[in-house]
Amino acid sequence: MKILVTGGAGFIGSAVVRHIIENTNDEVVNVDKLTYAGNNDNLIDICKSERYTFKEIDICDQANIKKIFKIHTPDAVMHLAAESHVDRSIDNPASFIETNLVGTYSMLEASRNYWEQLTGVKHDYFRFHHISTDEVFGDLKSSDMPFTEQTPYAPSSPYSATKAGADHLVRAWQRTYNLPTIITNCSNNYGPYHFPEKLIPLVILNAMS
Protein backbone atom coordinates (compact mmCIF):
# COMPACT_ATOMS: atom_id res chain seq x y z
CA MET A 1 0.00 0.00 0.00
CA LYS A 2 0.86 3.65 -0.35
CA ILE A 3 -0.41 5.63 2.65
CA LEU A 4 -0.81 9.40 2.73
CA VAL A 5 -0.15 10.55 6.30
CA THR A 6 -0.92 14.11 7.36
CA GLY A 7 0.98 15.52 10.31
CA GLY A 8 3.59 12.82 10.00
CA ALA A 9 6.36 14.95 11.49
CA GLY A 10 4.52 15.43 14.77
CA PHE A 11 4.74 13.26 17.86
CA ILE A 12 2.09 10.64 17.07
CA GLY A 13 2.35 11.02 13.29
CA SER A 14 6.09 10.39 13.28
CA ALA A 15 5.57 7.25 15.40
CA VAL A 16 3.06 6.03 12.81
CA VAL A 17 5.42 6.78 9.92
CA ARG A 18 8.40 5.11 11.64
CA HIS A 19 6.28 2.04 12.35
CA ILE A 20 5.09 1.74 8.75
CA ILE A 21 8.55 2.11 7.24
CA GLU A 22 10.31 -0.12 9.78
CA ASN A 23 7.70 -2.89 10.10
CA THR A 24 5.87 -3.15 6.76
CA ASN A 25 6.58 -3.00 3.05
CA ASP A 26 4.19 -0.08 2.58
CA GLU A 27 5.09 3.36 1.25
CA VAL A 28 4.42 6.64 3.06
CA VAL A 29 3.79 10.11 1.67
CA ASN A 30 4.10 12.46 4.65
CA VAL A 31 2.36 15.84 4.37
CA ASP A 32 3.23 18.24 7.19
CA LYS A 33 3.23 22.03 7.54
CA LEU A 34 6.11 21.85 10.05
CA THR A 35 4.61 24.13 12.66
CA TYR A 36 6.11 24.35 16.16
CA ALA A 37 5.05 20.74 16.86
CA GLY A 38 6.34 19.22 13.61
CA ASN A 39 10.00 18.26 13.43
CA ASN A 40 11.72 16.24 10.72
CA ASP A 41 14.31 15.15 13.30
CA ASN A 42 11.56 12.82 14.54
CA LEU A 43 12.01 10.92 11.27
CA ILE A 44 15.77 10.96 10.93
CA ASP A 45 16.00 7.15 11.19
CA ILE A 46 13.77 6.53 8.15
CA CYS A 47 14.00 9.71 6.07
CA LYS A 48 16.36 8.14 3.52
CA SER A 49 14.11 5.16 2.83
CA GLU A 50 13.06 4.80 -0.80
CA ARG A 51 9.54 4.11 0.49
CA TYR A 52 9.29 7.50 2.23
CA THR A 53 8.37 10.86 0.69
CA PHE A 54 8.01 14.16 2.55
CA LYS A 55 6.05 17.20 1.35
CA GLU A 56 5.93 20.43 3.36
CA ILE A 57 2.34 21.50 2.68
CA ASP A 58 -0.47 23.07 4.69
CA ILE A 59 -3.50 20.74 4.64
CA CYS A 60 -5.71 23.83 4.16
CA ASP A 61 -4.01 24.40 0.78
CA GLN A 62 -6.53 22.46 -1.31
CA ALA A 63 -4.77 23.02 -4.63
CA ASN A 64 -1.52 21.46 -3.46
CA ILE A 65 -3.30 18.70 -1.55
CA LYS A 66 -5.14 17.71 -4.73
CA LYS A 67 -1.79 17.63 -6.56
CA ILE A 68 -0.44 15.22 -3.93
CA PHE A 69 -3.34 12.84 -4.58
CA LYS A 70 -2.90 13.10 -8.34
CA ILE A 71 0.88 12.53 -8.30
CA HIS A 72 1.15 9.88 -5.55
CA THR A 73 -2.21 8.02 -5.91
CA PRO A 74 -2.46 6.78 -2.31
CA ASP A 75 -4.40 3.68 -1.26
CA ALA A 76 -5.39 5.19 2.08
CA VAL A 77 -5.22 8.40 4.10
CA MET A 78 -4.29 8.64 7.77
CA HIS A 79 -5.28 12.14 8.87
CA LEU A 80 -3.35 13.06 12.01
CA ALA A 81 -2.56 16.72 11.31
CA ALA A 82 -4.13 18.86 14.03
CA GLU A 83 -3.57 21.57 16.57
CA SER A 84 -3.73 19.62 19.80
CA HIS A 85 -2.82 21.60 22.93
CA VAL A 86 -5.71 22.71 25.17
CA ASP A 87 -3.93 25.74 26.65
CA ARG A 88 -2.91 26.97 23.19
CA SER A 89 -6.50 26.56 22.00
CA ILE A 90 -7.68 28.86 24.80
CA ASP A 91 -5.10 31.49 23.89
CA ASN A 92 -5.56 31.23 20.10
CA PRO A 93 -8.72 29.36 19.06
CA ALA A 94 -8.58 30.68 15.48
CA SER A 95 -5.63 28.48 14.52
CA PHE A 96 -7.46 25.43 15.88
CA ILE A 97 -10.56 26.24 13.84
CA GLU A 98 -8.40 26.68 10.75
CA THR A 99 -6.39 23.48 11.06
CA ASN A 100 -8.82 21.11 12.72
CA LEU A 101 -12.00 22.14 10.89
CA VAL A 102 -10.97 23.79 7.63
CA GLY A 103 -8.01 21.45 7.25
CA THR A 104 -10.14 18.35 7.78
CA TYR A 105 -12.69 19.68 5.27
CA SER A 106 -9.88 20.22 2.77
CA MET A 107 -8.61 16.66 3.23
CA LEU A 108 -12.11 15.19 2.97
CA GLU A 109 -12.90 17.02 -0.26
CA ALA A 110 -9.56 16.14 -1.84
CA SER A 111 -10.03 12.51 -0.79
CA ARG A 112 -13.60 12.40 -2.11
CA ASN A 113 -12.69 13.90 -5.48
CA TYR A 114 -9.81 11.46 -5.79
CA TRP A 115 -11.78 8.40 -4.60
CA GLU A 116 -14.71 9.05 -6.96
CA GLN A 117 -12.34 8.77 -9.92
CA LEU A 118 -10.86 5.45 -8.80
CA THR A 119 -12.02 2.13 -10.21
CA GLY A 120 -11.85 -1.53 -9.26
CA VAL A 121 -9.93 -2.73 -6.24
CA LYS A 122 -8.28 0.64 -5.65
CA HIS A 123 -11.74 2.24 -5.31
CA ASP A 124 -13.15 -0.56 -3.15
CA TYR A 125 -10.30 -0.66 -0.63
CA PHE A 126 -9.61 3.06 -0.25
CA ARG A 127 -10.04 4.37 3.32
CA PHE A 128 -9.92 7.78 4.99
CA HIS A 129 -8.78 7.25 8.60
CA HIS A 130 -9.41 10.26 10.83
CA ILE A 131 -7.48 10.22 14.11
CA SER A 132 -9.51 11.96 16.78
CA THR A 133 -9.33 12.21 20.57
CA ASP A 134 -11.25 11.02 23.61
CA GLU A 135 -11.56 14.67 24.66
CA VAL A 136 -14.52 15.09 22.29
CA PHE A 137 -16.52 13.21 24.96
CA GLY A 138 -15.77 15.80 27.64
CA ASP A 139 -14.39 15.32 31.13
CA LEU A 140 -14.47 12.32 33.48
CA LYS A 141 -14.68 12.37 37.25
CA SER A 142 -12.90 9.62 39.16
CA SER A 143 -16.26 8.01 39.92
CA ASP A 144 -17.48 8.07 36.28
CA MET A 145 -17.56 5.09 33.97
CA PRO A 146 -15.04 5.17 31.11
CA PHE A 147 -15.99 6.70 27.77
CA THR A 148 -17.14 4.45 24.92
CA GLU A 149 -17.75 5.20 21.27
CA GLN A 150 -21.44 5.61 22.19
CA THR A 151 -20.78 8.36 24.78
CA PRO A 152 -22.47 11.65 23.78
CA TYR A 153 -20.13 14.37 22.57
CA ALA A 154 -19.52 17.10 25.17
CA PRO A 155 -16.31 18.98 24.27
CA SER A 156 -15.12 21.47 26.86
CA SER A 157 -12.34 23.48 25.18
CA PRO A 158 -11.75 25.08 21.79
CA TYR A 159 -9.40 22.19 21.02
CA SER A 160 -11.88 19.42 21.79
CA ALA A 161 -14.71 21.37 20.15
CA THR A 162 -12.81 21.63 16.88
CA LYS A 163 -11.89 17.94 17.00
CA ALA A 164 -15.54 17.09 17.65
CA GLY A 165 -16.52 19.25 14.69
CA ALA A 166 -13.95 17.45 12.54
CA ASP A 167 -15.44 14.09 13.59
CA HIS A 168 -18.88 15.31 12.52
CA LEU A 169 -17.51 16.40 9.14
CA VAL A 170 -15.97 12.97 8.60
CA ARG A 171 -19.26 11.25 9.45
CA ALA A 172 -21.16 13.64 7.17
CA TRP A 173 -18.86 12.88 4.23
CA GLN A 174 -19.42 9.17 4.86
CA ARG A 175 -23.21 9.48 5.08
CA THR A 176 -23.67 12.05 2.31
CA TYR A 177 -21.01 10.99 -0.21
CA ASN A 178 -20.36 7.38 0.90
CA LEU A 179 -16.67 8.18 1.36
CA PRO A 180 -15.25 5.15 3.23
CA THR A 181 -14.10 6.65 6.52
CA ILE A 182 -12.86 5.42 9.89
CA ILE A 183 -12.69 7.48 13.10
CA THR A 184 -10.55 6.43 16.05
CA ASN A 185 -10.72 8.27 19.38
CA CYS A 186 -7.48 7.60 21.20
CA SER A 187 -6.67 8.72 24.72
CA ASN A 188 -3.54 10.62 25.73
CA ASN A 189 -0.34 9.24 24.23
CA TYR A 190 3.22 9.58 25.47
CA GLY A 191 6.64 8.32 24.42
CA PRO A 192 9.77 9.21 22.43
CA TYR A 193 9.78 12.59 20.64
CA HIS A 194 6.90 13.90 22.76
CA PHE A 195 6.72 17.70 22.44
CA PRO A 196 8.28 19.23 25.61
CA GLU A 197 5.25 21.37 26.54
CA LYS A 198 3.31 18.19 27.41
CA LEU A 199 3.16 16.99 31.02
CA ILE A 200 5.50 13.98 31.08
CA PRO A 201 8.42 15.44 29.07
CA LEU A 202 7.97 18.76 30.87
CA VAL A 203 8.28 17.12 34.29
CA ILE A 204 11.26 15.05 33.15
CA LEU A 205 13.08 18.06 31.69
CA ASN A 206 12.40 20.15 34.80
CA ALA A 207 13.62 17.32 37.02
CA MET A 208 16.81 17.00 34.97
CA SER A 209 17.32 20.76 35.14
Side-chain angles (χ1 to χ4, degrees):
M1 294 178 65
K2 182 181 288 186
I3 305 171
L4 172 58
V5 177
T6 68
F11 162 52
I12 300 176
S14 65
V16 171
V17 172
R18 292 194 304 272
H19 174 80
I20 294 171
I21 296 300
E22 292 172 351
N23 297 279
T24 77
N25 293 318
D26 298 334
E27 299 177 48
V28 173
V29 179
N30 177 13
V31 171
D32 198 297
K33 187 181 177 181
L34 292 182
T35 61
Y36 72 94
N39 189 340
N40 271 329
D41 287 345
N42 296 347
L43 299 159
I44 196 166
D45 293 338
I46 57 90
C47 64
K48 295 182 179 179
S49 170
E50 294 181 355
R51 294 182 288 113
Y52 175 73
T53 302
F54 173 74
K55 296 293 181 182
E56 185 176 348
I57 296 174
D58 185 342
I59 59 171
C60 295
D61 184 351
Q62 285 198 49
N64 273 321
I65 290 296
K66 288 180 179 179
K67 287 181 183 178
I68 291 294
F69 276 92
K70 184 176 182 180
I71 294 170
H72 293 282
T73 63
D75 299 296
V77 173
M78 295 188 72
H79 178 43
L80 293 103
E83 295 280 353
S84 65
H85 194 261
V86 173
D87 290 347
R88 286 179 182 267
S89 78
I90 294 170
D91 294 335
N92 182 23
S95 63
F96 284 71
I97 291 170
E98 180 72 12
T99 299
N100 298 353
L101 288 171
V102 178
T104 298
Y105 160 74
S106 173
M107 290 302 304
L108 285 167
E109 274 296 85
S111 297
R112 179 174 72 90
N113 293 333
Y114 167 75
W115 172 72
E116 289 178 341
Q117 297 176 30
L118 297 176
T119 58
V121 172
K122 202 167 179 71
H123 176 275
D124 295 341
Y125 284 92
F126 180 84
R127 294 291 183 274
F128 182 98
H129 179 190
H130 174 65
I131 287 76
S132 185
T133 170
D134 65 337
E135 294 190 42
V136 299
F137 302 121
D139 306 315
L140 280 177
K141 297 178 182 178
S142 59
S143 58
D144 291 337
M145 294 295 291
F147 294 134
T148 73
E149 287 82 355
Q150 283 73 47
T151 301
Y153 276 41
S156 55
S157 70
Y159 160 59
S160 56
T162 56
K163 289 297 288 185
D167 289 7
H168 293 323
L169 288 176
V170 174
R171 286 194 174 91
W173 259 245
Q174 193 278 323
R175 288 291 298 276
T176 303
Y177 304 110
N178 294 317
L179 181 69
T181 65
I182 301 167
I183 299 175
T184 51
N185 299 89
C186 53
S187 59
N188 288 339
N189 292 271
Y190 60 92
Y193 303 101
H194 207 174
F195 194 71
E197 71 184 356
K198 305 295 186 177
L199 176 63
I200 293 176
L202 181 63
V203 169
I204 292 172
L205 290 172
N206 284 346
M208 291 172 65
S209 177

